[in-house]
Amino acid sequence: MRMAQTLGVRFSYTEDGAFALDGVSISVERGEFVAVIGRNGSGKSTMARHLNALLRPTAGTVLIEGRDTADDAETWEIRRAAGMVFQNPDNQLVATIVEDDAAFGPENLGVPPEEIRARVDKALADVGMTEHAKSAPHRLSGGQKQRVAIAGVLAMKPDCVILDEPTAMLDPVGREDVMATAERLNRDDGITIILITHDMDEAARAGRVIVMDSGRVVMDAPPREVFSRADELARYGLGVPQAAECAQALRALGFEADPGILGGAELAEAVSKLRGSGSLDADRDNQSDI
Amino acid sequence: MLKDITVGQYYPADSPMHRLNPRVKLLASLAFLAAVFIISGVWGYALAVAMTAAVIAASRVPVPYLFRGLRSILFMLLFTVALNVFFTPGDDVVFSLWGLRATASGVAVAARTCVRLTLIIVGSSLLTLTTTSIELTDAIEFSLKPFRPVGVPAHEIAMMMTIALRFIPTLTEELDKIMKAQAARGADFDTGGLIRKAKSFVPVLVPLFVSAFRRADELATAMEARCYRGGVGRTRMRPSRLYRRDYIAIVLAAFAFTAMIAAGRIG
């Protein structure tokens, strides 16, 4: 069964206003790592909020593991299955100590005490926060708080974690912390990850990238394909990962660089091959422009 | 100054006081506050102070940390003391200052009030310093349960208090940030009379309130996303159980309060 599926979803925040989502149909399989990108107001966060029944479509259907989010009776099972982590780490932690916060979800679900304990311990271990179990959230760094928020979701034993710009307010170390945690959960525990992000380098790490613009899905493909279409992305107000941008600049100068380059390592390899082929010497005049 | 508020903060430690059942701690604290108002006489107060000192020792909360919280109410304390010293009627004048006469009974009343206020603040700080907010919620909910039939929303009140406690440090930090931001724009919080000072806080409080509302909205969404739906059907990671130590604490507290009140009657 599909993890999440939206069928022609339209949504408007106001009665008569413009549609924040205007016919979105996507489908996410179990175990996928999907990044959703788009400029501000493209509808990506609105879409995320539909996936755990925080918002309900004006028209169309959202199915989470086959459950319709429009059905009141399914709301809690949907929210358990598709946990959500928000942008601001300060505004989603409820308790004054870390482990109590991780326990908040399962407590709401009515899980027996011994099992909550076991789940909380495992969730904190999964995000590497065991040593801070007794700390107060306001003493932690942004990245640590975000990992606690992820643990709070994991303790509900979700099948899918939706991260709504989880790194937007973090420093580089915190960003890497959160990204590495998400990747590990996806790889080791088979948890489906849906990552809403502004950061193209983060999106490039996903297995699939969905690009949204004006409430519509305009691209839906593996990152290599999406980021090789830089001109099209620019039309939607989006850039490409740094390495891809660099590769593009090399190509513009007449060098051979694969349009599929996304990461620093790939770029380095391509550049080292250039040196081997001697083309750097041949184009010394161009090189000085880089 | 803002960082000094210790009332309502949790001090993480592993002490006999931390391990005590929160329901026992809450009810004992309430009984203590009531006792502080009943006691009289030097011996009554001496016992109350001794008992508080014993509890502080058992809580392993560093004394300087605990008393930092008192600094923020120092002004109120001094004000109360001055008022009592100079305005208690009596003929037994001890000294006079600027035409104000301080009476012996006034000094006695002032000392009593001062000790009472300090005991109340320290007593209630000790409760929150050794009890996590979720434990406190549980205890409040438990103590309000008998009133539920008459329409007291026990769970909701408890949850409201927890969140308030959770956000004290966050909003304190934010207030600090806004004050610095306004100071950088030339705001002046330190000069002028009371009214001018109060006025200078308007540009601080407005953004603080706006931000608090925004936070409230986001937190509510996050709580809903984590399946929060009120107190019905909720379980606890640490179900409240009474252990041997809790029974011992109940007996000790009962003895202490009786002794405090009795000592007042004698002395």
Side-chain angles (χ1 to χ4, degrees), chain A:
Chain A
M1 195 192 304
R2 290 203 170 89
M3 184 62 236
Q5 194 171 20
T6 71
L7 301 162
V9 169
R10 287 161 71 92
F11 177 78
S12 169
Y13 281 100
T14 51
E15 287 284 314
D16 52 337
F19 283 97
L21 293 182
D22 197 2
V24 173
S25 298
I26 53 165
S27 160
V28 176
E29 300 296 326
R30 249 170 214 290
E32 272 196 282
F33 190 135
V34 182
V36 182
I37 57 176
R39 65 177 130 200
N40 287 337
S42 61
K44 55 191 194 308
S45 277
T46 308
M47 218 270 290
R49 275 156 203 246
H50 274 81
L51 297 181
N52 89 347
L54 284 172
L55 293 176
R56 289 172 185 188
T58 311
T61 313
V62 178
L63 297 174
I64 303 298
E65 297 183 320
R67 295 167 209 274
D68 192 336
T69 60
D71 185 352
D72 280 332
E74 303 278 26
T75 303
W76 308 108
E77 185 46 33
I78 287 169
R79 288 187 182 160
R80 182 207 61 78
M84 187 136 170
V85 174
F86 297 85
Q87 178 178 0
N88 190 327
D90 274 320
N91 297 352
Q92 53 185 321
L93 303 180
V94 185
T96 44
I97 58 172
V98 166
E99 63 174 11
D100 284 355
D101 192 82
F104 183 72
E107 284 181 337
N108 290 335
L109 294 170
V111 174
E114 313 78 56
E115 208 200 316
I116 299 180
R117 184 79 252 173
R119 285 187 184 195
V120 166
D121 290 344
K122 184 176 184 309
L124 288 176
D126 282 348
V127 299
M129 289 296 291
T130 305
E131 60 174 317
H132 298 285
K134 305 272 183 197
S135 306
H138 70 271
R139 302 225 182 275
L140 302 177
S141 72
Q144 289 174 325
K145 280 184 215 171
Q146 230 28 338
R147 269 149 61 196
V148 173
I150 295 174
V153 167
L154 290 181
M156 296 195 290
K157 296 221 168 149
D159 303 304
C160 170
V161 177
I162 303 157
L163 301 134
D164 188 0
E165 298 189 36
T167 61
M169 300 178 76
L170 307 182
D171 60 12
V173 177
R175 278 166 190 245
E176 186 47 41
D177 258 10
V178 171
M179 281 304 290
T181 305
E183 283 177 332
R184 200 170 54 242
L185 293 173
N186 179 252
R187 192 180 57 235
D188 298 348
D189 302 324
I191 292 174
T192 311
I193 302 280
I194 299 176
L195 172 73
I196 318 292
T197 185
H198 262 298
D199 187 306
M200 298 306 134
D201 285 296
E202 285 175 5
R205 291 161 75 164
R208 173 180 158 201
V209 176
I210 294 175
V211 183
M212 292 191 67
D213 190 64
S214 321
R216 289 197 188 86
V217 172
V218 289
M219 286 162 114
D220 182 351
R224 261 176 229 294
E225 197 186 320
V226 167
F227 290 120
S228 64
R229 287 145 73 181
D231 296 339
E232 205 179 331
L233 283 174
R235 269 213 308 282
Y236 304 128
L238 299 169
V240 297
Q242 279 180 2
E245 207 177 321
C246 188
Q248 197 188 358
L250 283 172
R251 269 198 308 283
L253 296 172
F255 288 104
E256 232 175 83
D258 190 340
I261 286 174
L262 289 178
E266 290 166 340
L267 179 67
E269 200 181 316
V271 171
S272 70
K273 272 186 197 143
L274 291 183
R275 187 180 291 156
S277 68
S279 54
L280 271 179
D281 298 327
D283 288 278
R284 182 156 283 164
D285 295 340
N286 286 334
Q287 193 195 5
S288 61
D289 293 338
I290 298 180

Side-chain angles (χ1 to χ4, degrees), chain B residues 11 17 21 34 42 57-58 109 117 121 130 145 154 157 191 243 246 253-254 256 265:
Chain B
Y11 182 84
M17 280 302 288
N21 186 304
V42 179
V109 172
L117 277 175
I121 298 287
T130 62
K145 238 182 232 166
I157 290 175
T191 57
Y243 296 94
D246 297 308
R265 293 274 173 279

Side-chain angles (χ1 to χ4, degrees), chain B residues 189 191 193-203 205:
Chain B
F189 302 112
T191 57
L194 199 63
I195 292 173
R196 226 191 114 156
K197 264 190 187 168
K199 265 190 183 162
S200 74
F201 267 87
V202 172
L205 293 179

Side-chain angles (χ1 to χ4, degrees), chain B residues 23 55 73 92 116 137 150 153 168 195 223 252:
Chain B
R23 298 175 182 185
V55 173
I73 61 144
D92 40 357
R116 261 186 192 160
T137 322
V150 294
I168 285 174
I195 292 173
M223 285 168 70
L252 278 178

